[in-house]
Amino acid sequence: MLSALIWLPLIGALIIAVIPPAENSQTPRNIALVSSFCVFGWGLWIAINYDVAIAGLQFAEHIPWVEWLGLNYDIAIDGLSLPLMVLNGLLTLVAIWISSKEIHRPRFYFALFLLLQASVNGAFLAQDVLLFFLFYEIEIIPLYFLIAIWGGKRRGYAAIKFLLYTAVSGILLLASFLGLTFLSGANTFAYTALQNTSLPMASQLLLLAGIVVGFGIKIPFLPFHTWLPDAHVEASTPVSVILAGVLLKLGTYGLLRFGLGLFPEAWSVVAPWLAIWAAISALYGASCAIAQTDMKKVVAYSSIAHMAFILLAAAAATPISLAAAEIQMISHGLISGLLFLLVGIVYKKTGSRDVNYLRGLLNPERGLPITGALMILGVMASAGLPGMAGFVAEFLIFRGSFIAYPIPTLLCLVGTGLTAVYFLLMINKVFFGRLTPELAAMDPVNWGDQFPAVVLVILLFIFGLQPQWMIRWSEADTAALITPTAQVELSLNSLQ
Amino acid sequence: MVTTVLEPSRHPLAKYVHRLEQGLPMLDNNDQNVMEVVGILKSYGIVLDAYSNNLNYVAESQFLNLFPFFKYFNGEVNAGKLGQFWWHKRINYEYAEYCMRSMFWHGGGGLDAYVDSPEFIAVAKQAIAARWKNNPLMLSLNKLFPDFLLEQTRQMAYYTGLGQFWRVMSDMFLALSDRYDAGEIKSTSDVTQHILAALVADAAKPITYKVELGGKTYHLIPESAGITFLMDTGVPYVEAIFFRGTPFPGTVSYNAQAAQIPPEKSTFTYGALYADPLPIGGSGIPPTLLMQDMRHYLPDYLQKYYDKTGRSEQDIRVKICQTFQKSMFCVTSAALMGLVPNPLDTDDFEAQQANRTFFESWMDRLIPSQITNVNQA
């Protein structure tokens, strides 16, 4: 059942690869759309049939694979991975939808996108750490090509930088996974088996360090973040949507699943330092965002700041903060996907992302009024305005973390306040004022391009007004991750 | 030796000075401009007809009605009209009132002078007393604040002044369109000459105002006052609406405390000839209301042209505004030719010099206008 989420896109990619090439053919795009739609629909069906009352794995599938190595095809889903799997389905569909119909080498492009979707789904579903690592590494390949071939002027540099950073990330993760298995004497890479092993604290700390730094590169946190702004700036809009919306979440997911999940005792030791790291990363990301003149870089640094909130929540590891971390992943996925999508529309229509050049784009007749309005809504969501998903996520993170780490939480609160600063600076410069004569002749945006953004905004409102629809999937599973970091007994029920 | 031939103008807008001296409009002559100008003036004529009727209706039938809830209904108040009004299926009469108030505020011309005259005030006081003769409260308030109702009466005079002015202009523009359809209008010069001829023909048309209260007629502006169409309403209208105007939020900064608004209203340059078409496209300001009204009455040929240019319907108000500015430069050209102190074909050097001075002084005011832009569009 779950395998379809991995194999359907792979079959789609295979079909695209074998169809004969034809000039100006929309067939690859259509196949990719149908495939991603089916995967998204299948993901929703699984979500509907998922029993939220049960903590633990569901829809488990086990196929013995390389048994002498302890590697098996173990996949299952729980409240931690299910929302992210659905998010991956949605944003991949969005990314393929907004991909240009005139893109060159369409068969390779769309096949890579489906391969990316399959590998990310595989990583979210894998219950074998080595299987996770395989999917985690496979995902790098399509993304590298998507940046290197369809990127901007410095795409080669950005793609190589991404590759090197994520390769190091992968090496650290592999070392930690192998170390855990060998040091614990386990003869399997199965996640549940590794959870029950015991190691000296020094070994735990060493292995946890590899996992934290490995995923810290992926998320990314200061000082491992420098690949992200370059990758975003050079990547095409659909790739940026996926990169910010889903791929960064692989890091935070990994941090919770393999960092907190496998090393709860060591986690509680390093948690204060992680909280400080989160605060520094959040403030640094926000400060850098203020200084940027490229709209994409503003959103990229904003991502660094907002992903740091997840680290704070994970460090606190209270019932509320862990549920909030999951919600923040979904919320940030929707918001960052939306913002990159809209920046892409602005760039497509004006040929620029320079906030010092763009002006007056909210002009209702000759500007991009709908795009501007959606951008303002996206920015409001990112700044955590009540009524939108961003508020729910950040409010719960800060509420859940304050009891454990008040100072880092307050510093992160400053960071979220700065969100309004850098985004309003951008909005004010780009969308208000008098439309310049050079921009007054731009083409209008067709509804097809804006439709995905409208859907994402609607979702942000729905989850903002009815957060329980986000929380219910992961509540039981995040509660199971709780560590004795903070001696607080708060129940999510107290919020209701 | 005394020079008897006029040297070329060295004015920054010398091109337009020379055109006007030759009896040509400031707008470039080409088929595109002629089509746009005539088309927009046709829709403007239709809209002016409605504006004119409403202004005259308010002046005559809503005299000193302090709560004129149904003043835009022209006396026809029923559920259907009310529904259309709320659904905004109506003419934006607010724009006509904005123009009236702008004229009233900027003043100038004989009408402005007459409403301050003892003759007008005397009749106005009689009318006010007749209007409220059975209302002791209002009569008491009138004694306490004697200028309030008097000022309202002056405003009523401007309602009718502008209403009668637009009556003439509406007919003129619709006649222009008929002549274009008949193949008689072929150039921007033909357009200007048509307007000039109509302005001259109606120049001395009297502007009058009377109200009937309690079976008695009050001649607030009698014919004997000598208020005429061209000099007393036409010229102040051009000055107030084409040149000065008022700054609107969304079009220009209106922070008067930061001296962003000139201290003297005579130096205002916010009128139709200066307006930025882009914000007029959508900020809900009075000029936008006019563009919204005109879009409903565009002739087919102009609608087709707008459909295939720019963003089709999406930016139509901007395009209408740009075309409207073209037409307003034709009207301004005709007005200047009508007001020039000496005949344009005079051989007298001093007369030519006087004409040159006259045109250059107007061109001084048009330097920051949209004249260059409309001739590039």
Side-chain angles (χ1 to χ4, degrees):
Chain A
M1 195 177 215
L2 286 180
S3 287
L5 296 170
I6 301 168
W7 294 101
L8 259 180
L10 283 180
I11 292 168
L14 196 66
I15 294 170
I16 290 172
V18 298
I19 57 167
E23 203 171 332
N24 299 324
S25 171
Q26 293 301 311
T27 310
R29 184 173 184 275
N30 293 338
I31 292 171
L33 269 177
V34 170
S35 169
S36 57
F37 186 79
C38 290
V39 173
F40 176 54
W42 191 247
L44 283 180
W45 191 86
I46 286 171
I48 290 166
N49 287 281
Y50 181 83
D51 189 346
V52 294
I54 303 172
L57 301 169
Q58 298 182 33
F59 303 102
E61 294 177 22
H62 172 80
I63 300 172
W65 190 8
V66 192
E67 287 185 283
W68 61 269
L69 191 64
L71 170 63
N72 292 302
Y73 180 81
D74 277 331
I75 60 170
I77 201 160
D78 65 0
L80 208 57
S81 51
L82 185 138
L84 295 170
M85 177 272 293
V86 176
L87 180 71
N88 183 32
L90 173 67
L91 291 184
T92 301
L93 182 60
V94 166
I96 291 172
W97 178 286
I98 62 172
S99 293
S100 170
K101 290 178 181 174
E102 286 84 39
I103 199 155
H104 69 286
R105 303 176 71 182
R107 292 191 311 147
F108 193 28
Y109 176 85
F110 289 109
L112 286 174
F113 247 110
L114 293 182
L115 179 61
L116 186 62
Q117 183 182 36
S119 55
V120 172
N121 270 347
F124 283 140
L125 300 177
Q127 298 305 321
D128 182 299
V129 293
L130 206 53
L131 186 66
F132 169 84
F133 173 76
L134 286 177
F135 283 121
Y136 186 84
E137 288 294 292
I138 290 171
E139 156 263 322
I140 297 171
I141 299 165
L143 195 59
Y144 167 78
F145 282 116
L146 284 168
I147 296 171
I149 298 176
W150 291 275
K153 285 179 184 170
R154 294 173 69 241
R155 57 184 180 273
Y157 167 77
I160 286 291
K161 197 170 179 180
F162 160 77
L163 189 66
L164 289 175
Y165 270 76
T166 43
V168 171
S169 159
I171 290 167
L172 290 170
L173 293 179
L174 181 63
S176 292
F177 291 155
L178 291 176
L180 175 61
T181 306
F182 297 139
L183 290 175
S184 66
N187 57 356
T188 175
F189 289 99
Y191 176 78
T192 45
L194 292 174
Q195 261 187 317
N196 298 321
T197 57
S198 59
L199 283 173
M201 181 55 76
S203 303
Q204 281 192 46
L205 287 171
L206 186 67
L207 296 172
L208 179 60
I211 284 177
V212 169
V213 174
F215 286 123
I217 292 171
K218 186 77 176 177
I219 292 170
F221 298 132
L222 179 76
F224 310 118
H225 65 284
T226 61
W227 66 270
L228 185 69
D230 285 324
H232 271 307
V233 167
E234 298 307 321
S236 62
T237 299
V239 176
S240 280
V241 169
I242 285 293
L243 182 58
V246 179
L247 296 179
L248 306 188
K249 309 303 173 291
L250 266 180
T252 45
Y253 167 80
L255 212 55
L256 289 176
R257 170 77 75 198
F258 303 107
L260 181 58
L262 291 176
F263 305 99
E265 291 170 17
W267 185 270
S268 62
V269 172
V270 300
W273 300 102
L274 294 180
I276 293 168
W277 190 11
I280 293 170
S281 199
L283 289 175
Y284 176 82
S287 304
C288 287
I290 293 172
Q292 301 308 311
T293 56
D294 184 324
M295 291 176 76
K296 254 193 169 183
K297 278 194 173 179
V298 176
V299 183
Y301 277 106
S302 163
S303 280
I304 293 169
H306 283 86
M307 295 302 280
F309 300 159
I310 299 174
L311 180 61
L312 174 73
T318 64
I320 294 176
S321 75
L322 288 178
E326 179 77 9
I327 297 168
Q328 173 74 347
M329 284 192 244
I330 305 303
S331 164
H332 180 263
L334 296 173
I335 293 169
S336 60
L338 170 69
L339 293 178
F340 276 115
L341 194 162
L342 294 169
V343 170
I345 292 175
V346 169
Y347 183 66
K348 184 179 173 184
K349 294 298 167 188
T350 65
S352 175
R353 297 187 303 259
D354 187 347
V355 296
N356 293 323
Y357 169 75
L358 300 169
R359 189 154 300 276
L361 295 188
L362 263 181
N363 184 287
E365 314 252 336
R366 294 272 172 92
L368 308 171
I370 305 295
T371 304
L374 293 169
M375 179 71 90
I376 289 170
L377 290 173
V379 163
M380 286 165 62
S382 186
L385 258 72
M388 304 182 85
F391 170 76
V392 179
E394 292 182 11
F395 175 77
L396 290 180
I397 283 179
F398 298 137
R399 187 184 165 183
S401 306
F402 183 79
I403 301 164
Y405 304 114
I407 302 296
T409 303
L410 287 174
L411 291 173
C412 283
L413 267 168
V414 174
T416 199
L418 290 175
T419 307
V421 175
Y422 55 73
F423 272 142
L424 286 182
L425 281 172
M426 182 182 84
I427 290 285
N428 186 45
K429 284 185 174 178
V430 173
F431 290 97
F432 288 91
R434 202 264 188 204
L435 191 66
T436 57
E438 303 85 50
L439 297 171
M442 67 182 141
D443 294 331
V445 185
N446 62 48
W447 271 105
D449 287 347
Q450 289 178 146
F451 174 71
V454 173
V455 172
L456 293 178
V457 166
I458 291 171
L459 287 174
L460 288 173
F461 272 110
I462 289 174
F463 291 139
L465 296 171
Q466 187 51 274
Q468 190 59 24
W469 291 353
M470 269 197 299
I471 295 169
R472 65 193 296 264
W473 307 104
S474 49
E475 196 174 343
D477 285 290
T478 51
L481 284 171
I482 296 167
T483 66
T485 303
Q487 297 301 321
V488 286
E489 288 298 330
L490 291 174
S491 166
L492 280 174
N493 293 330
S494 66
L495 292 173
Q496 298 165 4
Chain B
M1 186 179 145
V2 178
T3 305
T4 56
V5 178
L6 208 56
E7 294 286 321
S9 170
R10 292 179 182 174
H11 194 276
L13 296 179
K15 173 184 170 184
Y16 304 109
V17 172
H18 297 149
R19 280 191 185 177
L20 290 168
E21 285 175 343
Q22 293 164 32
L24 298 172
M26 288 183 273
L27 183 67
D28 288 350
N29 179 39
N30 55 55
D31 291 344
Q32 170 73 27
N33 278 349
V34 176
M35 180 273 290
E36 282 189 60
V37 166
V38 174
I40 206 71
L41 287 179
K42 179 179 185 180
S43 64
Y44 189 45
I46 295 169
V47 172
L48 285 191
D49 175 60
Y51 289 165
S52 167
N53 290 339
N54 184 250
L55 289 170
N56 290 330
Y57 165 77
V58 173
E60 290 162 13
S61 304
Q62 302 286 310
F63 180 73
L64 294 187
N65 181 355
L66 299 183
F67 301 101
F69 295 117
F70 301 108
K71 64 180 174 181
Y72 298 143
F73 287 74
N74 290 337
E76 193 185 347
V77 184
N78 55 50
K81 285 278 178 189
L82 207 58
Q84 287 182 351
F85 187 87
W86 284 332
W87 194 246
H88 213 92
K89 189 181 177 186
R90 66 185 184 92
I91 296 279
N92 290 300
Y93 295 116
E94 294 91 336
Y95 176 74
E97 290 188 313
Y98 151 72
C99 289
M100 178 274 297
R101 290 201 183 96
S102 190
M103 277 181 75
F104 190 28
W105 189 60
H106 284 293
L111 181 59
D112 184 42
Y114 186 73
V115 294
D116 287 327
S117 69
E119 294 86 354
F120 179 85
I121 292 170
V123 181
K125 283 183 174 174
Q126 292 170 20
I128 290 166
R131 172 69 176 82
W132 303 108
K133 72 176 179 183
N134 296 322
N135 191 329
L137 177 64
M138 285 304 297
L139 289 173
S140 305
L141 286 173
N142 186 41
K143 284 209 183 310
L144 276 173
F145 307 102
D147 289 336
F148 176 71
L149 291 175
L150 188 58
E151 194 69 358
Q152 292 292 315
T153 310
R154 291 190 182 106
Q155 182 170 280
M156 287 290 139
Y158 267 87
Y159 264 99
T160 192
L162 182 57
Q164 291 175 59
F165 169 72
W166 270 347
R167 175 76 271 134
V168 174
M169 299 302 283
S170 169
D171 295 342
M172 175 204 302
F173 293 143
L174 294 176
L176 172 75
S177 173
D178 292 342
R179 288 185 62 201
Y180 176 77
D181 293 343
E184 295 174 23
I185 301 292
K186 293 181 165 35
S187 66
T188 53
S189 183
D190 290 343
V191 172
T192 308
Q193 289 305 320
H194 173 91
I195 297 168
L196 177 59
L199 289 176
V200 171
D202 287 311
K205 184 182 172 69
I207 301 294
T208 60
Y209 182 31
K210 62 181 180 184
V211 288
E212 287 196 10
L213 298 164
K216 190 178 172 187
T217 303
Y218 296 86
H219 292 275
L220 288 157
I221 306 177
E223 193 168 342
S224 59
I227 306 298
T228 56
F229 163 77
L230 185 61
M231 294 308 293
D232 300 321
T233 56
V235 172
Y237 175 82
V238 169
E239 179 68 26
I241 306 302
F242 285 19
F243 283 89
R244 296 189 191 180
T246 44
F248 303 112
T251 56
V252 289
S253 175
Y254 58 103
N255 186 347
Q257 287 181 325
Q260 289 167 333
I261 301 293
E264 295 296 327
K265 61 186 177 183
S266 60
T267 57
F268 274 23
T269 51
Y270 304 117
L273 301 179
Y274 304 85
D276 183 349
L278 269 181
I280 278 175
S283 55
I285 52 178
T288 308
L289 300 178
L290 174 64
M291 307 310 148
Q292 283 175 340
D293 284 339
M294 285 199 289
R295 73 182 295 181
H296 299 300
Y297 302 102
L298 296 172
D300 289 343
Y301 53 84
L302 190 55
Q303 181 70 54
K304 281 179 187 166
Y305 168 69
Y306 288 150
D307 285 345
K308 66 184 181 187
T309 54
R311 294 189 180 184
S312 188
E313 277 291 312
Q314 192 185 335
D315 64 343
I316 195 166
R317 287 179 299 194
V318 173
K319 290 179 286 198
I320 289 174
C321 183
Q322 288 169 331
T323 302
F324 183 66
Q325 282 183 326
K326 289 182 179 183
S327 73
M328 289 303 103
F329 277 105
C330 287
V331 175
T332 305
S333 299
L336 294 180
M337 286 179 214
L339 296 172
V340 69
N342 300 292
L344 293 174
D345 56 356
T346 181
D347 293 329
D348 180 70
F349 178 68
E350 287 186 359
Q352 288 177 344
Q353 273 192 318
N355 287 351
R356 167 70 57 85
T357 305
F358 172 81
F359 285 133
E360 286 188 341
S361 69
W362 282 101
M363 285 306 121
D364 286 343
R365 299 185 65 185
L366 288 180
I367 287 173
S369 76
Q370 297 283 333
I371 180 67
T372 309
N373 290 336
V374 298
N375 279 321
Q376 285 173 345

